[in-house]
Amino acid sequence: MVELPFSLIVITHNEAANIAACLDSVPFAAEKLVVDSGSDDDTVAIAQAHGARVVHQDWLGFGPQRNAAAAHSRHDWILFLDADESLTPQLSAELRERLPELLNSQAAVAILRRRTSYMGAPMRWYRPMRGERLARLYHRGRARWTDARVHESLRWDGESVDFKAPFDHAHNPTLAHKHLKVLRYAELKCLDWNDKNRPVRMWQTPLVYLSAFLRDYVMRLAILDGWRGLIVSHVAAAYAVYKRIRYYEMRRNPASIEQARTVLRRHGLDR
């Protein structure tokens, strides 16, 4: 297969179960780069066995970690995938067909569509998991990730192009995995809020749950996915509330920041 001059980059920490499928789904990338933040499983060995160059980078937060990873790329055009994501055969074919023109253009980014499996099967109606539009392929001289610790996004100057075929996201295998991620992501988000001295506004908490639940369950059509739609809407709304009550605790008891960091580190959730 002809390689194309772009880099596939994956940032990892203990992704031995996922990294091979992710890397193997992009056989036409001229470079596969894994930026690892200290895995103690077989992530690094598996990545190297599947053709990746591995670079160590201590954890900086999602946005800074992505920007640091991009600096290690041997090519200006970069495709970022998470370790639990992979290209579908349809998107692979579309990329091979359209990438030569894109790589020689003045465009800044390409928008890809992500479809997500939840509780072992694809979501059919819930919009964020059916065809979420994400900027994941970009020219590093024309785009840059925000510096947010979590929920980072790509910012760019210039034109964007859209690809039609989706890529796959193997969402958290169980709700236990999801809730552990909630603890980690909420902590990072609250630290960002704390840095910005954001007001607490605990009085909004009941309204936050209701509005977040109704947004996902009704407006984003989760209701049409049956019980799984109810569950995904509740989990999203509960996360929105937990961030706020954890932030309240953080502001009221600053010592809880280090205490939480210690317990999260003990369970491998501090990065």
Side-chain angles (χ1 to χ4, degrees):
M1 183 173 293
V2 176
E3 293 181 349
L4 296 173
F6 73 97
S7 296
L8 166 66
I9 301 183
V10 189
I11 57 176
T12 60
H13 180 257
N14 289 346
E15 292 288 355
N18 298 311
I19 190 62
C22 175
L23 295 172
D24 290 349
S25 74
V26 196
F28 49 91
E31 178 186 38
K32 297 179 183 181
L33 173 63
V34 167
V35 178
D36 188 79
S37 56
S39 294
D40 55 17
D41 64 2
D42 292 331
T43 297
V44 170
I46 294 171
Q48 291 171 335
H50 287 260
R53 177 168 64 96
V54 179
V55 173
H56 175 82
Q57 171 62 58
D58 290 340
W59 184 246
L60 302 171
F62 280 98
Q65 191 80 355
R66 291 190 189 275
N67 286 324
H72 288 286
S73 172
R74 291 172 177 161
H75 300 277
D76 285 333
W77 278 95
I78 293 168
L79 170 63
F80 254 109
L81 292 179
D82 293 339
D84 60 356
E85 297 171 341
S86 59
L87 300 190
T88 60
Q90 295 83 4
L91 181 55
S92 179
E94 187 178 4
L95 285 169
R96 289 198 304 271
E97 178 183 349
R98 296 179 58 190
L99 267 180
E101 180 180 356
L102 176 65
L103 300 181
N104 289 310
S105 75
Q106 293 303 307
V109 303
I111 308 299
L112 308 182
R113 296 181 180 273
R114 182 173 73 174
R115 68 184 184 190
T116 299
S117 291
Y118 190 71
M119 292 188 167
M123 296 291 270
R124 296 183 59 197
W125 295 97
Y126 180 46
R127 286 177 175 172
M129 291 186 176
R130 184 172 178 268
E132 185 179 14
R133 299 177 73 250
L134 298 170
R136 290 293 192 83
L137 177 61
Y138 68 99
H139 188 289
R140 65 178 170 185
R142 303 164 194 160
R144 180 177 174 82
W145 296 94
T146 60
D147 287 327
R149 287 185 175 95
V150 69
H151 304 314
E152 73 286 3
S153 59
L154 194 64
R155 297 288 184 263
W156 65 88
D157 293 318
E159 297 181 359
S160 63
V161 299
D162 282 83
F163 283 75
K164 296 179 180 179
F167 66 101
D168 281 333
H169 179 208
H171 199 54
N172 304 283
T174 69
L175 284 176
H177 291 79
K178 174 62 177 178
H179 283 290
L180 289 173
K181 183 177 285 187
V182 162
L183 290 175
R184 178 193 182 201
Y185 281 18
E187 198 70 15
L188 294 172
K189 191 64 177 178
C190 290
L191 289 170
D192 276 346
W193 288 347
N194 195 47
D195 288 348
K196 297 173 182 176
N197 201 28
R198 170 179 161 148
V200 175
R201 297 173 182 155
M202 272 295 290
W203 62 270
Q204 294 179 344
T205 300
L207 298 176
V208 165
Y209 181 91
L210 183 62
S211 62
F213 180 85
L214 291 177
R215 178 194 61 197
D216 281 3
Y217 195 57
V218 178
M219 298 180 65
R220 293 179 171 176
L221 304 182
I223 189 173
L224 300 178
D225 276 306
W227 290 117
R228 289 187 304 144
L230 178 71
I231 293 166
V232 78
S233 301
H234 162 71
V235 170
Y239 170 56
V241 168
Y242 175 73
K243 285 186 295 186
R244 285 157 177 82
I245 61 177
R246 172 64 183 122
Y247 183 54
Y248 169 77
E249 178 186 37
M250 192 178 284
R251 299 291 290 187
R252 190 178 189 280
N253 178 22
S256 72
I257 296 175
E258 187 56 38
Q259 291 168 342
R261 182 176 290 121
T262 299
V263 73
L264 291 171
R265 184 181 298 119
R266 188 179 306 148
H267 294 280
L269 301 174
D270 62 319
R271 60 186 73 225

